[in-house]
Amino acid sequence: TEKYTILEIAEKFAHKPIAILGEPGSGKTTLVKRLAIHYAQTGARLPVFIDIARYSADSEFNFLDVLRHYVDEITIKALLKAGKLTIIFDGLNEVGIDQRESAIRTLTNFTMSHTNNQFFITCRTADYPTFLRAEVSRVEVLPISTNEVRAYLVKVLGPDLEARVYW
């Protein structure tokens, strides 16, 4: 199993949408939020975070409408055309089961229409639709051990604060 940082994943698999898969609480959302923060700080790309759990076919959900909350339509179209967006669809598994097929179809059509942009989809491994495998690169978040968590906290916070944070 090869291991990558989120930035390495973004570079290596940029040619098609990337599914970040993992178990509940494994850090899928945290991982893509870190990438969004990196892009926002560096200005390399414009990150857009979409809570796909809010998808509803009944409300004629349109990703361009969601993007209009960030910038105006002319800017959106220019950014999409230039391939400057990283769009994160968070929580595919949280879309209602009766809405999931429609959400996946809408998501697939949107990503296929704007292929020069970067797309991430987070989903629990068990709920990931197998038929998306051809269109989407899959990356799994590995579980981390207690020792790895503690070592990370010591590195970031120091041993004294780690002992107070992790008990």
Side-chain angles (χ1 to χ4, degrees):
T1 302
E2 294 182 59
K3 295 181 181 181
Y4 302 99
T5 67
I6 188 63
L7 289 174
E8 291 169 337
I9 291 166
E11 291 173 14
K12 183 173 176 86
F13 301 101
H15 61 283
K16 59 183 178 178
I18 302 164
I20 304 292
L21 307 177
E23 297 307 310
S26 64
K28 300 174 295 292
T29 299
T30 301
L31 197 61
V32 292
K33 282 184 176 181
R34 262 187 126 157
L35 179 67
I37 290 167
H38 170 78
Y39 281 154
Q41 289 174 336
T42 63
R45 303 183 67 80
L46 178 63
V48 178
F49 191 88
I50 297 176
D51 179 8
I52 195 153
R54 301 177 80 189
Y55 176 88
S56 171
D58 300 333
S59 66
E60 302 207 14
F61 192 92
N62 180 325
F63 293 123
L64 287 176
D65 289 339
V66 174
L67 294 174
R68 285 185 190 103
H69 290 291
Y70 294 93
V71 290
D72 64 87
E73 187 167 351
I74 294 170
T75 304
I76 292 166
K77 289 182 178 179
L79 290 168
L80 282 168
K81 186 175 181 178
K84 295 290 186 185
L85 297 179
T86 291
I87 302 176
I88 299 164
F89 299 100
D90 187 49
L92 181 60
N93 57 282
E94 295 173 14
V95 174
I97 196 73
D98 58 325
Q99 300 284 319
R100 199 167 296 163
E101 186 178 323
S102 175
I104 292 167
R105 189 172 42 255
T106 302
L107 188 145
T108 302
N109 289 339
F110 185 79
T111 59
M112 298 296 275
S113 298
H114 306 288
T115 56
N116 57 339
N117 292 276
Q118 189 174 51
F119 299 98
F120 286 84
I121 304 161
T122 67
C123 187
R124 289 183 181 169
T125 305
D127 296 323
Y128 186 69
T130 56
F131 63 86
L132 276 180
R133 291 184 182 180
E135 292 94 11
V136 179
S137 296
R138 292 179 47 208
V139 177
E140 300 232 9
V141 176
L142 297 174
I144 57 174
S145 70
T146 303
N147 289 339
E148 290 171 313
V149 170
R150 295 190 81 158
Y152 177 78
L153 290 173
V154 166
K155 179 180 169 188
V156 172
L157 303 175
D160 293 336
L161 193 50
E162 179 274 336
R164 293 190 344 215
V165 171
Y166 191 95
W167 63 95

